[in-house]
Amino acid sequence: MSLISAVNISKHYQVGGSLVRAVSDVSFEIETGEFVAVIGRSGSGKSTLMSLLGLLETPDSGHYRLKGLEVAKLDRNRRAALRCREIGFVFQMSSLLPRSSALENVELSLAYAGVRRAERRRRARDALDRVGLSHRLDHWPYQLSGGEQQRVAIARAIVNEPALILADEPTGAVDSRTADGIMSLFEHLNGDDRTIIVVTHAADVARRTRRIITLNDGYLIADERVGPALPSTVAAPIGRVA
């Protein structure tokens, strides 16, 4: 069974007197362990598709299944619970809480999930170690570089061991060297058989993945496999990066 199955999903918005066809009749499947880029110019439907995949929106038509569950049949509370349990988000801006340490920021999603304090602290430490930040646990966001802040955000996304990581322009607000480090981290995480979808407008970022889905005006116009799946191995903790 595919992790993700999208069949003719569409999402349209009424803006003033105009109908915006953000996503139209898009179909694809994604298996566990894939590393996928979704690309397209501004207005192509990338962000709307991510919102659909991340259960932030439901399709107007078509069928979207995550781990075999038909999303449209779930009420808001069940979608929220599924999203909390199965999906980790990384955005262009790290969106860390400024008055919380790196460790406390990573713990936050576990607190929402009802994990007890001692356990969530242990798991948050492990997640920060996985992204190479075990030496920055008690630092405030303003004491971290842009790349380190994004790594904290990635640790926050993986701490609950989600089935799917959705990254929306994760390198868009950092320099090229830091972007390279972030993509290297995603490659290592994918090597642990994590399923990762990166939404990006940058061709060089997309080429670091194993499959590229291209959108244009809401339609899927290309779906290209650009490399073999990475072997499922346990990656070592990632080294420091700016």
Side-chain angles (χ1 to χ4, degrees):
M1 180 178 65
S2 299
L3 175 64
I4 285 174
S5 176
V7 180
N8 300 123
I9 59 172
S10 296
K11 188 68 178 181
H12 301 157
Y13 300 98
Q14 194 74 35
V15 179
S18 301
L19 183 66
V20 177
R21 301 180 184 277
V23 170
S24 296
D25 291 325
V26 168
S27 298
F28 57 84
E29 293 192 353
I30 294 176
E31 304 295 331
T32 298
E34 286 203 73
F35 189 15
V36 182
V38 177
I39 67 170
R41 62 188 180 185
S42 180
S44 63
K46 303 188 304 297
S47 294
T48 299
L49 180 61
M50 181 178 177
S51 293
L52 292 170
L53 298 180
L55 311 185
L56 300 171
E57 302 263 15
T58 55
D60 295 329
S61 60
H63 300 280
Y64 171 41
R65 294 181 177 87
L66 177 65
K67 298 188 75 172
L69 293 174
E70 177 65 64
V71 170
K73 294 182 178 180
L74 305 178
D75 62 28
R76 180 177 299 181
N77 290 336
R78 290 184 66 194
R79 286 201 308 273
L82 184 63
R83 184 168 58 243
C84 179
R85 185 175 67 249
E86 301 291 359
I87 303 174
F89 293 92
V90 181
F91 298 101
Q92 181 173 339
M93 306 303 294
S94 60
S95 302
L96 302 181
L97 297 178
R99 297 184 180 180
S100 297
S101 69
L103 185 65
E104 290 166 340
N105 268 281
V106 176
E107 284 186 75
L108 186 61
S109 61
L110 295 174
Y112 287 142
V115 178
R116 292 186 177 182
R117 187 175 186 277
E119 174 65 9
R120 68 177 186 250
R121 180 138 296 199
R122 181 191 67 78
R123 288 166 61 177
R125 285 178 179 273
D126 287 347
L128 284 165
D129 184 53
R130 283 288 297 115
V131 302
L133 286 180
S134 58
H135 61 301
R136 305 290 259 175
L137 301 179
D138 298 320
H139 286 67
W140 305 104
Y142 78 87
Q143 296 174 310
L144 304 174
S145 69
E148 287 173 335
Q149 290 180 33
Q150 197 64 312
R151 283 172 176 258
V152 174
I154 294 170
R156 183 178 58 194
I158 67 173
V159 71
N160 217 23
E161 298 294 332
L164 174 65
I165 298 172
L166 291 175
D168 190 5
E169 299 285 2
T171 63
V174 297
D175 59 48
S176 59
R177 177 175 175 270
T178 303
D180 180 71
I182 290 169
M183 290 307 296
S184 293
L185 174 55
F186 280 132
E187 288 170 347
H188 279 276
L189 292 172
N190 180 239
D192 282 343
D193 213 27
R194 298 178 190 270
T195 307
I196 302 172
I197 301 176
V198 176
V199 175
T200 183
H201 68 278
D204 58 331
V205 170
R207 286 194 294 269
R208 297 286 292 271
T209 68
R210 300 285 163 169
R211 177 180 173 188
I212 300 175
I213 291 173
T214 305
L215 298 181
N216 185 53
D217 293 336
Y219 291 93
L220 192 158
I221 61 170
D223 186 349
E224 177 188 11
R225 296 189 182 275
V226 293
L230 291 174
S232 179
T233 57
V234 177
I238 311 302
R240 303 180 187 181
V241 78

